[in-house]
Every structure is written in structure tokens, then in C-alpha cells.
Amino acid sequence: MSPAQQRPSEQRPVSGPRAFRFLLNRQAGGGSAARAAAPVARRLRSAGAEARITQSAGAEHCRGLIPGAVARGEIIVAVGGDGMVGSLAGAVSGAGGTLGIVPAGRGNDLARQLGIPRAAAANADCLLRGRATRIDLIDVTTARGADVVAGSVYAGVDSLASALVDRAPRFIPAALQYHYAAVRALASFPPRQYIVDVDGSSHRFRGFTTVIASSGFYGRGMHIAPDADPADGMLDIVMVSAGSRARLLRALPRLYRGDHVALPDVTVLRGREVEVRIEDRGEKLEAWGDGDRLGRLPLRASVRPAALEVLVPRVAQ
């Protein structure tokens, strides 16, 4: 059971009949989002709920629809992967709305953390009968500007892996895309000299990545921050030092179990405000968040506690 599901006192029923506005990118995944939304919406309508599907060519248009939909009492349903969820989370939070999720992407890591099912029948039940819980968001600033992230921010070998996944042909199965990208990125990424400030305390190390996590999963099921709780008002900062590249490659399976944090090359800190930069002269390194490119370092990240209300499955009594 996920951390957000373990807090029945912090969850509440959503009163009254539910109305839903599904938002999706018609171009994402070759139409996979539309295919995922349709059976869920049918089940909601069969149960007497209102369910409208809006297909858009981009996240900016979707975000523009959110204030009006929330004002009409509609629950916003993000259909897609972590990038789609992250792109709408800040707007839903700002409008004071509630977010539902239909996992239809390659990663679906926030849905995994929250225990949100992918199967249409179970997902429709979560939207109809689930309970609303509040989770944290991450405010991020890079050289490009400001963003809101729902799951995790990372800068390093995983940035390169995300770029490789982003360019991967769709005919390659999603699981293979992530494995291939992780191995290829580890084999070629040059370690960087990081400076990581956590709540004013500075840490220097030469390493492969720094991950700032509110949710514990990324990279399609890698449990990068196993103790991260999306509802505790804190960020978990995972720093991977540049030990043996071969040892790190052999340790990849441990990322899925979450016991990689016991390795001597891994340090985990906790805090509310984080700054990450690199000392390497002339080097550029991009940060990614929720599977989307954010911008070049330096980056600043701060937790926004209990910022977003999300529908999750009911807690077993």
C-alpha cells in the first residue's frame, strides 16, 4: 500500500455526483491516451456520472481549460503518463480542483506510487468511489524558467536516459526502451562534479546523478527513493557517486527493489529546499522532471506541501 493510501485521516470523500473532464494529448503515444480514456469514460457514464473527453494538441491548451472546468465542478482527469500528469498538476492545484489519473503512458510512476490501477474497470471505480488525498508538488526553477513537477526531478545519467527514451521508436516495447536507455546512458555518461545544497547545507561529490523526489518511483518502476512519501512535506535527495561504472551497471536490478540505497556509492538526504549545480567548466547538464525536459542547471527546487488533491483507491477497512 502506498504512503498516500496509508493516511485515511488525511483523505476525504468527494461529495455529490461526480462529473469528469478528461484531458489528453491526441498525438501522444500514437493515440494510446484516447484508447485508454474511452472505456473508462463509458463505465463512468454507465454509472450515471458525467464524463467529457477533450483531446488537445498540447498541454498549454489543456491547462487553459482547467479553471473553467473546475468552476463547473468537474474533476480533471489527466490521461497519459507522468509528463501529462505533471503538466496539469500545477494548474489543477492553482484552480483548487481535484485530479484523477488514467495511466496511459510509458512510465506511469506517480500512479504506481499512489496505487492507481491501469485496468479500465478498476480505474473507473477509483474515479467514482475513490477518496481524495492531498500530495505535495515540487516547484522547480532552471535556466529555462519555472516549472511544477509532481514526482521527481533529476539531473545526470538519468537525464540522458530520459532523452534516449524520448527518441525511442514506438515499436520498441516500453519496458525495453527504459532498460536499453539506462544501460546505454550508464555506459557513456561522464560523471560530473556536483554541488548540492539541501536546506542551506552544502554537499560536494563527483557522481552520476542527483535526484530530488517527492514520489519514490521513476524510470518505469525504478524505486529510486524508496522512503519518499508524496504527502509528508519533504523531499528525498538521492546522490549517486562515481564509483565503479561496472558495479553500478550490475546494481541496476536493485533500483527496482529499492535496496540500492544501501550501496556505498549512494547517499540519501531529506529537505525542503534544494539547489543543484555542477562545477565542471564548460559543461552543460539538463534537468528533467516527470519524464520531460526542464532546462539546464543550476536548478532550484522547493516542496509545496499538500498542494494537490488527487483521487486514489479507497483504503481497505
Side-chain angles (χ1 to χ4, degrees):
M1 186 176 293
S2 71
Q5 292 176 282
Q6 292 170 352
R7 288 177 161 76
S9 63
E10 295 181 10
Q11 299 179 345
R12 67 167 184 84
V14 177
S15 59
R18 297 186 179 183
F20 302 91
R21 173 65 71 95
F22 286 63
L23 297 178
L24 57 94
N25 185 341
R26 70 171 68 95
Q27 298 173 339
S32 61
R35 291 191 295 272
V40 177
R42 283 198 299 269
R43 285 172 168 81
L44 296 178
R45 295 179 189 124
S46 296
E50 179 184 336
R52 295 198 289 172
I53 297 176
T54 299
Q55 299 191 42
S56 170
E60 192 63 36
H61 176 241
C62 286
R63 286 192 290 267
L65 298 172
I66 288 172
V70 171
R72 290 188 294 272
E74 293 177 320
I75 294 169
I76 304 300
V77 181
V79 185
D82 294 300
M84 186 62 172
V85 174
S87 72
L88 301 184
V92 175
S93 172
T98 300
L99 183 71
I101 299 173
V102 174
R106 287 179 287 188
N108 306 313
D109 286 302
L110 183 62
R112 180 177 287 106
Q113 175 76 42
L114 299 176
I116 295 172
R118 185 162 185 166
N123 188 264
D125 184 74
C126 176
L127 293 173
L128 279 169
R129 301 178 180 85
R131 301 177 70 83
T133 189
R134 301 200 73 88
I135 65 171
D136 307 330
L137 295 176
I138 309 174
D139 289 312
V140 182
T141 303
T142 64
R144 191 186 72 176
D147 290 278
V148 177
V149 172
S152 62
V153 183
Y154 42 94
V157 65
D158 31 19
S159 301
L160 175 56
S162 288
L164 292 170
V165 169
D166 210 38
R167 298 194 298 265
R170 285 287 175 173
F171 63 80
I172 301 177
L176 294 182
Q177 290 175 13
Y178 280 92
H179 289 309
Y180 164 77
V183 172
R184 182 177 168 187
L186 272 174
S188 60
F189 182 83
R192 302 302 208 279
Q193 191 68 37
Y194 287 87
I195 305 172
V196 181
D197 295 332
V198 180
D199 291 343
S201 178
S202 189
H203 306 267
R204 284 174 163 79
F205 72 102
R206 187 158 185 81
F208 287 109
T209 191
T210 298
V211 182
I212 303 167
S214 175
S215 173
F217 293 95
Y218 82 163
R220 200 172 189 268
M222 293 183 181
H223 211 177
I224 185 65
D227 294 326
D229 181 341
D232 67 354
M234 298 290 288
L235 300 171
D236 282 38
I237 301 93
V238 182
M239 301 181 294
V240 181
S241 299
S244 163
R245 195 183 298 269
R247 184 167 68 237
L248 193 55
L249 282 166
R250 289 195 301 270
L252 271 178
R254 299 184 66 168
L255 278 170
Y256 292 91
R257 301 193 301 267
D259 60 4
H260 63 286
V261 295
L263 295 172
D265 300 329
V266 179
T267 300
V268 181
L269 304 172
R270 306 193 80 222
R272 293 182 173 86
E273 295 187 358
V274 186
E275 182 175 349
V276 181
R277 55 195 188 276
I278 56 173
E279 288 185 312
D280 307 76
R281 291 184 178 180
E283 291 283 348
K284 304 294 184 182
L285 182 60
E286 287 193 320
W288 286 58
D290 294 340
D292 284 343
R293 183 181 282 105
L294 299 179
R296 288 177 176 173
L297 299 187
L299 76 79
R300 293 177 177 83
S302 60
V303 66
R304 198 195 305 176
L308 178 65
E309 189 170 79
V310 184
L311 289 178
V312 299
R314 281 181 174 271
V315 178
Q317 301 296 320

